[in-house]
Amino acid sequence: MSGKRSIFEDVSDTEKQQAVQPGMLDRGRRGARKAIRVWLMILFALVVIMIAVGGLTRLTDSGLSITEWRPITGAIPPMNEADWQSEFDKYKQIDQWRIQNQWMDLSDFKFIYWWEWGHRQLGRFIGVVWAIGFFGFLIARQIPVGWTGKLLIPGLLGGVQGAVGWWMVASGVTQGEGMIAVASYRLAVHLGLAFVILGFLAWYIFELGREERDLMQARRAKEAKLYSLSTGLLHFTFLQILIGALVAGIDAGRSYTDWPLIGGQLLPPDAAMLEPLWRNFFESPGLVQFIHRCVGYLLFIFAVIVWRRGSTSAHPQTRFAFNAAFAALSLQVVIGIVTVVYAAPWQIAIFHQFMAVVVWTLILRARFLTAYPIATSLRGA
């Protein structure tokens, strides 16, 4: 037992170290934050690839080549000529082949089949990567406190996405109804859900990039007004992505290739030619493209407002995030115009879709930094 000490005696270096232990807030809560973040980054990259493959599947008109939903056994492709012929015979029963693709032989069918099979197989692979990561970290007890439910969300949404994907395909697997493609509004739901999953993954990656104590301190400096504006911009962008899916679903981007006019006039000709009237907002190529253009103009104007407000942030990294988001959105507008003028060739169309992912992610990043600003010293600023 140590003896009594004078109140004027200095505390030893050892006792100082015992008294001051930084990171106490994170102890017991940290888990494998870095490893989980890497896992989420892999999932994020896979979902981006999935969106691109989905776009190419649509552009090659391959989405209806597999006429059945077999989540497990469908992972095995046709293994011999008899299996291939059986799949081809199933495809011949639907309207797309009867109306549009009677010219196909078995080799042509194999091309579109492999695109759709690859799209579905990639979805299965993403599900496996999520399951291995989630249950691996769970069993190892490496998930930070409060994160189990969060990490469960992408997996659950991925399962829902598989069902929505079949719901979409089923709308085009018809006999005698004249459908030669999937319903555009179902395509919009399918793509929209992919961006929702991407959004959750991106947000979690941003959060795990900083320690819990850092986030708690940063939250006190939240820029509420700018956060609300960036949230509005995020929702506005999401709406435009959904409308873009409607455009893609009916190939409306190839219907009118002049700009800034549409069909040589301010309003598209025959914009309301379908009955009942509501169908035109989903299925009239001229009207759907016109709506996509107008929403794009309004989105750009609102983005200018948000960007100008973001440039007044006291935090340099927040300002940079808004600059990056606005630059990407501006480029996306230009690419959209080029896509229309050149009648949406697949190379430009895919780039346009990829840029939507970039814009979405950068807006999320800017929004995150308004909620959790990164403090900068006066010297650093």
Side-chain angles (χ1 to χ4, degrees):
M1 182 176 179
S2 61
K4 295 182 179 180
R5 296 180 303 181
S6 167
I7 61 173
F8 301 106
E9 183 180 347
D10 290 336
V11 180
S12 70
D13 291 340
T14 302
E15 289 172 327
K16 286 181 180 179
Q17 292 175 2
Q18 292 176 347
V20 181
Q21 299 181 15
M24 289 295 293
L25 180 63
D26 291 321
R27 292 197 175 186
R29 298 176 57 88
R30 184 180 288 113
R33 292 177 71 91
K34 290 183 179 179
I36 291 174
R37 189 168 187 254
V38 170
W39 166 60
L40 292 178
M41 286 178 174
I42 293 171
L43 284 173
F44 182 91
L46 288 172
V47 174
V48 173
I49 295 171
M50 185 70 165
I51 290 174
V53 172
L56 289 169
T57 301
R58 175 188 57 77
L59 288 168
T60 55
D61 287 327
S62 304
L64 301 180
S65 57
I66 302 178
T67 60
E68 298 173 326
W69 190 39
R70 295 174 295 170
I72 306 299
T73 60
I76 303 174
M79 302 300 292
N80 53 54
E81 205 65 17
D83 291 344
W84 276 113
Q85 191 60 52
S86 175
E87 291 297 318
F88 192 24
D89 289 340
K90 294 173 185 177
Y91 178 66
K92 287 181 178 179
Q93 303 302 311
I94 69 173
D95 292 332
Q96 187 185 70
W97 182 85
R98 182 177 58 83
I99 297 173
Q100 179 176 291
N101 289 337
Q102 287 195 30
W103 57 270
M104 280 188 172
D105 59 21
L106 185 59
S107 62
D108 298 312
F109 171 72
K110 287 181 179 181
F111 175 80
I112 63 173
Y113 185 97
W114 281 123
W115 267 114
E116 175 62 11
W117 182 86
H119 184 51
R120 297 190 187 191
Q121 196 72 357
L122 182 55
R124 294 184 180 98
F125 180 69
I126 293 173
V128 170
V129 171
W130 172 84
I132 291 174
F134 178 79
F135 290 106
F137 288 120
L138 186 66
I139 293 170
R141 298 184 179 181
Q142 289 298 305
I143 297 179
V145 174
W147 274 85
T148 302
K150 288 183 177 182
L151 298 179
L152 188 61
I153 290 174
L156 294 177
L157 290 179
V160 173
Q161 179 73 313
V164 170
W166 172 247
W167 174 65
M168 176 188 69
V169 170
S171 66
V173 181
T174 60
Q175 298 178 9
E177 298 178 22
M179 289 290 292
I180 60 173
V182 300
S184 59
Y185 59 90
R186 297 193 187 189
L187 175 64
V189 173
H190 191 50
L191 182 64
L193 184 54
F195 273 82
V196 169
I197 295 171
L198 210 59
F200 275 107
L201 292 173
W203 195 268
Y204 295 160
I205 290 168
F206 299 151
E207 284 190 324
L208 290 170
R210 293 159 67 180
E211 294 290 351
E212 190 71 24
R213 65 179 182 274
D214 179 26
L215 292 176
M216 291 187 68
Q217 292 171 355
R219 190 163 49 204
R220 300 170 185 169
K222 178 179 178 179
E223 299 178 274
K225 180 62 177 178
L226 192 52
Y227 179 82
S228 296
L229 285 171
S230 58
T231 300
L233 182 62
L234 187 72
H235 293 164
F236 206 163
T237 301
F238 186 69
L239 173 64
Q240 179 70 332
I241 289 169
L242 295 181
I243 298 173
L246 295 179
V247 171
I250 59 176
D251 283 329
R254 295 169 176 163
S255 56
Y256 296 99
T257 58
D258 53 332
W259 184 87
L261 299 177
I262 182 166
Q265 54 194 57
L266 292 176
L267 297 175
D270 301 323
M273 59 183 178
L274 301 177
E275 295 291 343
L277 182 63
W278 64 266
R279 284 183 57 200
N280 292 280
F281 293 94
F282 298 94
E283 301 174 27
S284 172
L287 182 58
V288 172
Q289 189 191 133
F290 177 74
I291 293 172
H292 191 48
R293 290 188 187 192
C294 291
V295 172
Y297 301 147
L298 293 174
L299 175 60
F300 182 75
I301 292 171
F302 184 61
V304 171
I305 296 172
V306 177
W307 170 59
R308 293 291 296 170
R309 179 65 179 81
S311 66
T312 66
S313 172
H315 306 282
Q317 293 200 41
T318 302
R319 296 197 299 270
F320 179 81
F322 278 94
N323 288 339
F326 181 69
L329 193 145
S330 299
L331 178 59
Q332 177 73 324
V333 171
V334 174
I335 296 171
I337 294 170
V338 172
T339 303
V340 166
V341 171
Y342 285 91
W346 71 266
Q347 299 92 333
I348 301 178
I350 284 297
F351 187 47
H352 190 45
Q353 184 167 292
F354 173 75
M355 278 304 300
V357 173
V358 174
V359 170
W360 176 251
T361 306
L362 289 176
I363 293 174
L364 272 168
R365 175 64 176 169
R367 179 175 181 262
F368 178 81
L369 288 175
T370 64
Y372 303 99
I374 297 176
T376 306
S377 65
L378 292 176
R379 178 179 298 178

